Amino acid sequence: SAVISQKPSRDICQRGTSLTIQCQVDSQVTMMFWYRQQPGQSLTLIATANQGSEATYESGFVIDKFPISRPNLTFSTLTVSNMSPEDSSIYLCSVEGLAGGGEQFFGPGTRLTVL
Amino acid sequence: DAKTTQPNSMESNEEEPVHLPCNHSTISGTDYIHWYRQLPSQGPEYVIHGLTSNVNNRMASLAIAEDRKSSTLILHRATLRDAAVYYCILNTGFQKLVFGTGTRLLVSP
């Protein structure tokens, strides 16, 4: 399994500002995923980020609101832009496993509160 | 995405076995059956996955019905630390995971 860290672990932000969340993996992986978990809800995929290509966004998520960078095989960032209170959620990154079958390993998450 | 159906919640006593059911009647031949769990205030944790045969690992066992339309995650001896939300997910491999609402497992001392 991969060891994944995220920064920051939590933050409180003002409406209209932006926050960049970092995800670091201890091994090289091709696919990284960003999820959102709204309060009391299950996880929803925001986008899939492959190194060297544009991120692929799920329905309801757009690049202008959630720009993603993937500069190398161990790192990715997700920016939450022009935040509103509705963006208050836990944001999680995950990576594919190496055993085959599509298992994923998740970071600890970033808890974002927007005032 | 193929859909799974799980009970909203289940209860167990510590040190007893727990059988968590999942129905996936529309599963396709290439879908793997995955189980994840999410402990309070943590990211989801991979538990186990399988395709056709039953699978065992250090965390749990996965029993897959012969027609693959249902499966059961088996925790052999529940501990308080096993209290979590358990998600059953179908995945065709290296694809996005579509999380449902899962089963909240409560474990009593």
Side-chain angles (χ1 to χ4, degrees):
Chain A
S1 65
V3 177
I4 305 164
S5 60
Q6 288 185 231
K7 290 181 180 179
S9 58
R10 60 178 59 225
D11 207 342
I12 301 173
C13 301
Q14 295 297 320
R15 180 196 300 261
T17 62
S18 298
L19 176 72
T20 295
I21 301 167
Q22 299 178 7
C23 179
Q24 180 76 52
V25 189
D26 69 342
S27 57
Q28 295 184 336
V29 294
T30 301
M31 299 180 74
M32 295 180 75
F33 305 87
W34 286 99
Y35 290 83
R36 180 177 73 181
Q37 187 169 28
Q38 295 177 299
Q41 303 296 312
S42 186
L43 283 78
T44 301
L45 181 67
I46 298 172
T48 302
N50 291 344
Q51 194 271 334
S53 63
E54 293 280 332
T56 302
Y57 289 82
E58 296 298 306
S59 176
F61 297 96
V62 295
I63 187 171
D64 290 346
K65 176 66 175 178
F66 297 101
I68 289 172
S69 78
R70 184 76 203 277
N72 57 52
L73 291 172
T74 63
F75 187 79
S76 178
T77 67
L78 169 76
T79 298
V80 186
S81 304
N82 188 25
M83 289 183 285
S84 68
E86 292 70 36
D87 294 318
S88 297
S89 295
I90 299 173
Y91 293 85
L92 302 108
C93 67
S94 72
V95 302
E96 59 180 346
L98 299 177
E103 72 275 12
Q104 293 183 16
F105 299 96
F106 286 79
T110 296
R111 182 179 295 272
L112 171 62
T113 301
V114 183
L115 303 177
Chain B
D1 300 306
K3 183 176 175 59
T4 63
T5 304
Q6 300 177 252
N8 289 332
S9 64
M10 292 185 65
E11 296 186 22
S12 175
N13 294 318
E14 202 173 9
E15 299 193 5
E16 289 184 353
V18 180
H19 291 233
L20 297 167
C22 181
N23 288 320
H24 29 78
S25 59
T26 60
I27 190 170
S28 71
T30 56
D31 283 333
Y32 287 84
I33 301 160
H34 285 244
W35 283 83
Y36 289 78
R37 70 181 185 181
Q38 187 171 24
L39 280 66
S41 302
Q42 295 189 27
E45 175 185 28
Y46 166 78
V47 177
I48 200 168
H49 77 278
L51 185 61
T52 56
S53 302
N54 295 343
V55 184
N56 299 297
N57 66 21
R58 65 175 179 81
M59 290 182 68
S61 295
L62 175 59
I64 301 173
E66 193 169 338
D67 63 4
R68 299 209 327 126
K69 293 185 176 182
S70 65
S71 61
T72 302
L73 179 71
I74 303 167
L75 307 179
H76 296 286
R77 289 183 64 191
T79 68
L80 296 178
R81 192 190 174 279
D82 291 321
V85 179
Y86 287 78
Y87 297 99
C88 170
I89 301 171
L90 301 183
N91 184 284
T92 56
F94 300 105
Q95 300 282 337
K96 63 183 180 181
L97 296 178
V98 179
F99 284 80
T101 54
T103 297
R104 182 173 299 277
L105 175 65
L106 305 173
V107 181
S108 301

